[in-house]
Amino acid sequence: MHWAISTLLIGIFMKAIVAFGFVSLLSSAAVLAEDSPYYVGTSAFAATGGKHIDTIGAGLALQFGYRISPNWAIEADHHETLQKLKYSDDTNTFCCGSGPEFDVNTTAVFGVFRTNDDLYFKAKAGFNLQDSNFQNSLAPAFGLGGGYKITPNTHLELEWEKYSSSLDHFSLGIKFSF
């Protein structure tokens, strides 16, 4: 079990490096941006679930945002699962019985509040469209997190997002203003 978690974390880390490398190509424009209201970001995430999900999924996310004021923004994100979750249902009432693997991809729009400091707090609420092998649904979503302004236009963020009653995302990402 420990080797599986280690392998998962290494896989997430390697995929995050690739994603961060891609987004860092955008940083040359971000460095030139002076107080731009637009930002883009990427993150690596781990997805966990309630009592019926017995594995941790992993994936990458893209975010696009527009800062309305120093503290408020509108943000859209898409999370793409790269490592499937596994469902276990002892009562055999869900779909296919015990153990099917599935992807859960989410696309969400949030209203976001951030404190305006170098080390900041972030809260967001909105709606997400959840797409999985079993169902598609539109539901409320919310998240909490924090970040650090590496430069005025480059931010490192750590977040927890709740996408449904049984799906949580924990992510580490980087955002660039452009």
Side-chain angles (χ1 to χ4, degrees):
M1 179 70 174
H2 294 291
W3 68 268
I5 293 172
S6 297
T7 303
L8 171 67
L9 293 175
I10 290 170
I12 290 171
F13 182 71
M14 295 305 290
K15 291 171 185 169
I17 289 172
V18 171
F20 291 161
F22 172 73
V23 172
S24 69
L25 293 175
L26 300 173
S27 67
S28 60
V31 170
L32 298 175
E34 290 292 328
D35 295 328
S36 172
Y38 298 98
Y39 59 91
V40 63
T42 188
S43 60
F45 70 90
T48 63
K51 64 181 178 178
H52 295 296
I53 298 175
D54 60 3
T55 59
I56 297 174
L60 296 174
L62 281 176
Q63 297 91 26
F64 299 95
Y66 178 76
R67 194 179 54 207
I68 299 167
S69 73
N71 296 104
W72 293 95
I74 296 173
E75 189 171 283
D77 65 29
H78 178 75
H79 288 77
E80 190 74 26
T81 304
L82 300 176
Q83 179 174 352
K84 296 179 183 250
L85 291 108
K86 188 171 183 180
Y87 187 82
S88 95
D89 184 4
D90 298 332
T91 63
N92 221 11
T93 59
F94 184 58
C95 164
C96 309
S98 180
E101 292 185 338
F102 62 97
D103 292 317
V104 179
N105 302 317
T106 61
T107 302
V109 176
F110 294 102
V112 178
F113 172 81
R114 282 185 189 86
T115 57
N116 196 20
D117 300 310
D118 286 345
L119 184 61
Y120 59 88
F121 165 78
K122 176 180 179 180
K124 60 186 186 177
F127 291 93
N128 82 90
L129 177 60
Q130 185 172 304
D131 177 26
S132 74
N133 299 44
F134 304 120
Q135 67 180 354
N136 296 331
S137 62
L138 182 64
F142 58 92
L144 295 173
Y148 178 70
K149 293 180 183 176
I150 300 168
T151 71
N153 299 318
T154 307
H155 302 201
L156 186 62
E157 289 189 348
L158 182 64
E159 286 187 272
W160 163 75
E161 297 166 311
K162 184 73 166 175
Y163 281 99
S164 69
S165 61
S166 63
L167 186 64
D168 295 286
H169 285 175
F170 298 91
S171 62
L172 177 61
I174 192 162
K175 292 183 176 35
F176 299 102
S177 298
F178 61 93

